[in-house]
Amino acid sequence: DKIMGSLQISNFCELFGFNSKKRPVSRLPIKIKSTIYPAGFEFIPGVKYQSFDISNHLDDLALVYFDENGNLVLHMFVPDGKAEKEFVNRQPENKLYRYSKSKYIKDAYENGHFYICPALEYIKKEYDEARKDNELIHQKNISSNKIMIISAQNNSDIKTIGDITYSTIYLPVDSYILCFSYDYDEGLYHEFEGSESCLIINDPVEFARRIHHAFSIKMPDYIGVDGRVTYGRHQSCLGLLFSKSKKYIYQREYRFAWIANNPKQRLNPKDLIENDIDEIRKIIPEPVELKLGSIEDISDMVERKSGKSGTGR
């Protein structure tokens, strides 16, 4: 194919979502060679699509471009790489879903009542596995044959005996997040312990407008953004707050985040690792309480169909 415009780099998760079977689903029409796959097309593991084995490329970056008809063309996958500009898929979601106890879902539905928690709260809170996933820590593994370590004492090489894992940490204490899913799945009631009901946002664009407006009134010195979370070793274009390990793909998360223009305090990574829960909580700000007013005009709520709910929040 003739390249009509500049190649743009894209994270896999910006092109594909994932369904309950953990299969990639195209987020918007994607042209692969001569074939256009529509938005919502499910790709089956082990099947090649015009020479691309898409299901195995979660940790890769994609090079894409738009052709003369406006189709997004998948040019190639690369383990790493650079391009002239980033591709960010800002396609609006069809619906958003939030799982929780019935009383909280009803309050949100009838009153637009939300508690926006600090991002740090999710690191040390005694939550279920789905919620305590170290929101602010992004890990990356590097093969030992790509690492060179030099001794500061005698300038000699130090050989590693295995792969190297390092973590990057988003340090501002005063950042806030609110999490949804972009897919309805009965299994997520179980993953988010204690969930009995689901709030369904039928108009995500209008909901985003309302919640960002409410937050800006309550916290005028903050910048808000929302988008899908990216899974895998490459960070989201929206930053570390929108990046997670690929083991959490099943959550299919859509996130709202607010960051201070001038962060008041930054957390030392050593403190994060060594301090106990009570020490960490001393520097975590209180949740921001928002009341948007009734959102019944843009949402629905449903009860969990089967299974027993837990005792979590």
Side-chain angles (χ1 to χ4, degrees), residues 160-177:
T160 61
I161 59 175
D163 293 348
I164 303 296
T165 299
Y166 71 90
S167 301
T168 54
I169 303 176
Y170 189 87
L171 300 178
V173 172
D174 46 351
S175 53
Y176 296 84
I177 58 177

Side-chain angles (χ1 to χ4, degrees), residues 6-38:
S6 299
L7 285 172
Q8 301 176 41
I9 196 166
S10 172
N11 190 296
F12 185 93
C13 295
E14 289 159 2
L15 295 177
F16 302 92
F18 300 89
N19 58 20
S20 58
K21 300 176 184 177
K22 297 184 181 179
R23 292 176 178 171
V25 177
S26 57
R27 297 186 58 188
L28 68 170
I30 297 176
K31 185 176 182 181
I32 304 176
K33 292 189 175 179
S34 61
T35 302
I36 297 178
Y37 297 90

